[in-house]
Structure formats: structure tokens, C-alpha cells
Amino acid sequence: MKRALELVETIYETEPVGGPLHVVIDDWNIDGTITVDTYDIGEDIDQCSPEADMAIRELVPLLNRMTVAERASALARNDGYLPREPSL
């Protein structure tokens, strides 16, 4: 989860609306297989900054290994609904 949060942060540094992952990380469409969205905002992954491109390519398979609950938890932490660091 920590790595997912770092990657989302990297994406937002140059892609203010989540770029090609907008429907996932902004709109929380997190069930099923996560893919790079190239139709929602007309942005292709190749149009992203190199940093965001690399982060997206690492984040998508990471999200696909997570359960829906883990994805929701990561996004909730990113959006400030939960503490960034889980309490032990």
C-alpha cells in the first residue's frame, strides 16, 4: 500500500486529474481489472510526463494484485479520509 501511495503521489505531481488513471484514482472505479483509461479525458499514457508514465506502469499491476478493500484503503489514505500511515 505504501508503494501505491508513492506512485499516486508521483502521478499527481504532473497529472493533476490522475491522467490516464483518472477513473480509478479520482473517481474510485476500483473493482475488476484496472487498466489505463485512454478514453475518459482523451489522454494517452504516452502523453504523460516520463515520471507519471513510469508510475502508472508500475501502479496498474500493483493495484491488480490488491483486493478491492485494499484499493479503497489506499485511495482513502491518499484522499485524507484515513491516516496516511496505518496504526499498528
Side-chain angles (χ1 to χ4, degrees), residues 31-71:
D31 48 338
T33 302
I34 304 297
T35 59
V36 175
D37 178 15
T38 58
Y39 64 86
D40 186 55
I41 57 173
E43 206 174 317
D44 191 287
I45 191 168
D46 296 328
Q47 296 173 338
C48 292
S49 71
E51 297 83 9
D53 179 279
M54 289 188 332
I56 290 165
R57 291 178 192 277
E58 184 179 345
L59 181 59
V60 168
L62 180 60
L63 290 173
N64 283 321
R65 289 192 303 269
M66 298 170 112
T67 66
V68 172
E70 290 169 331
R71 294 172 187 177

Side-chain angles (χ1 to χ4, degrees), residues 11-25:
I11 293 166
Y12 279 123
E13 286 174 4
T14 60
E15 308 298 323
V17 293
L21 287 181
H22 168 73
V23 297
V24 175
I25 58 179

